[in-house]
Amino acid sequence: GGAAGRGIVNGGDTPSKTDSMEYIQIHTLGNALNFGTATFVSHLRASCASHTRGLWGGGNDGPAYKNTIDYVTIQSTGNGIEFGDLTHPKSTYGGSCSSSTRGIWAGGYSNVSPDTTGIKTIDYVEIATTGNALSFGELDADIWNHAGTSSPIRGFFCGGSPVQEGIRKITIASRGNSVNTGELSAVSNSSTASSNSTRAVLFGGQHPSFSPGNINTMEYFDTSSDGNTIIFGELSEAKGLGASVSSQTRGVLLSGRNPSNVNNIEYINFSTLGNAIDFGDLGLARQKFQGCSDSHGGLGGF
């Protein structure tokens, strides 16, 4: 994985939409620092990364659904730069993941006719280049508001709306449609996920059988095998629509909604089970945003 262990978040509702980016050093503790500004004010974007670049795609800038992809160089600080476009003029509430070289966006919500709800589209880019995304395949259902994460080889899209409890996988280096591999134990949508090379952890989210909706559950699965999730521990509070980043050793959840925005950052150690531990605070309390990191597997989805 990347040696520096830097995680970056971009955009979201504060409650107004923002173009602010902040970063943390995952192996330390402390508050987030300013990174720069994105190419436009937005929320509901999906992110992926290599060891050197972080990318965000899709989103909504207020009146319009976007298909824009932009990027930053993770180890510097500075503003976003345009990369290209997604294939569908979607795209909010998408899920994303990546290998060390290829970035993937899957699903999302669209108001562009004829797709006026969820979409099945899976797109990919080669992160080291710039240009428009290409078609990868399709999900087996129209889904949005799902969590994406990955091992170095496989990508996973977990839960989503309308009520979805399935885990869908792809092989990142190939192209093709997703395959169902298991089910979530508690989460349905609004969660975010982090992973290292072998384990993926989902943070919080919502489930229709829980009232008032948000949950404080963390659950995990082994990325090398198929099967259902297992409870990992609990967050400090019930929340959803946050962002996550990770290194090979830590998964970090940043902010979210409970039901008002919170700014706390908390983390887990992948190798042990247990409750989340306080890390620090974001400068802006956000929801509906995503993060990425330079440490694979180590991608957060939303």
Side-chain angles (χ1 to χ4, degrees):
R6 178 176 281 193
I8 306 172
V9 299
N10 180 342
D13 289 346
T14 66
S16 59
K17 294 174 184 63
T18 183
D19 59 4
S20 161
M21 293 186 282
E22 299 182 61
Y23 75 96
I24 60 169
Q25 299 299 144
I26 297 170
H27 61 283
T28 66
L29 300 176
N31 297 338
L33 300 173
N34 180 60
F35 187 93
T37 56
T39 59
F40 60 97
V41 169
S42 66
H43 69 175
L44 299 171
R45 307 195 77 193
S47 59
C48 57
S50 67
H51 298 316
T52 56
R53 281 184 172 180
L55 279 61
W56 284 263
N60 185 294
D61 65 0
Y65 285 60
K66 307 287 283 189
N67 66 348
T68 305
I69 306 167
D70 53 20
Y71 75 96
V72 297
T73 300
I74 295 174
Q75 285 311 311
S76 65
T77 56
N79 300 336
I81 302 167
E82 186 160 338
F83 184 98
D85 293 329
L86 297 170
T87 65
H88 192 287
K90 23 180 207 270
S91 161
T92 65
Y93 281 120
S96 55
C97 64
S98 53
S99 67
S100 60
T101 59
R102 179 176 279 190
I104 307 283
W105 287 267
Y109 190 89
S110 172
N111 67 349
V112 178
S113 181
D115 300 314
T116 54
T117 55
I119 58 176
K120 296 184 173 75
T121 306
I122 308 175
D123 288 355
Y124 77 98
V125 298
E126 300 300 332
I127 297 172
T129 66
T130 57
N132 295 338
L134 301 173
S135 176
F136 183 96
E138 290 189 342
L139 298 169
D140 66 324
D142 298 330
I143 62 170
W144 65 94
N145 199 10
H146 49 290
T149 195
S150 56
S151 72
I153 297 170
R154 291 172 158 183
F156 300 91
F157 306 103
C158 308
S161 300
V163 179
Q164 299 281 336
E165 295 176 343
I167 303 170
R168 296 165 169 87
K169 74 173 178 182
I170 58 168
T171 301
I172 298 173
S174 65
R175 289 184 289 179
N177 298 336
S178 68
V179 177
N180 290 315
T181 67
E183 292 190 351
L184 307 175
S185 60
V187 172
S188 174
N189 61 55
S190 302
S191 66
T192 184
S194 284
S195 59
N196 65 7
S197 296
T198 58
R199 177 173 282 185
V201 179
L202 285 88
F203 301 101
Q206 296 181 324
H207 195 283
S209 66
F210 290 74
S211 180
N214 287 338
I215 60 176
N216 69 347
T217 306
M218 295 183 288
E219 49 193 281
Y220 75 97
F221 62 93
D222 182 342
T223 58
S224 64
S225 62
D226 298 342
N228 300 337
T229 59
I230 301 167
I231 297 299
F232 187 97
E234 293 183 351
L235 299 170
S236 62
E237 58 188 330
K239 54 191 170 185
L241 296 170
S244 57
V245 299
S246 58
S247 67
Q248 283 295 321
T249 55
R250 283 183 174 180
V252 184
L253 172 66
L254 303 98
S255 204
R257 180 175 76 183
N258 178 36
S260 299
N261 290 4
V262 297
N263 72 341
N264 63 311
I265 306 170
E266 47 193 321
Y267 75 97
I268 54 93
N269 293 306
F270 284 112
S271 61
T272 60
L273 304 184
N275 296 340
I277 304 161
D278 184 63
F279 185 99
D281 292 325
L282 273 177
L284 293 174
R286 309 172 188 237
Q287 61 164 315
K288 299 181 180 178
F289 68 116
Q290 283 202 11
C292 61
S293 72
D294 59 4
S295 312
H296 278 265
L299 307 186
F302 57 19

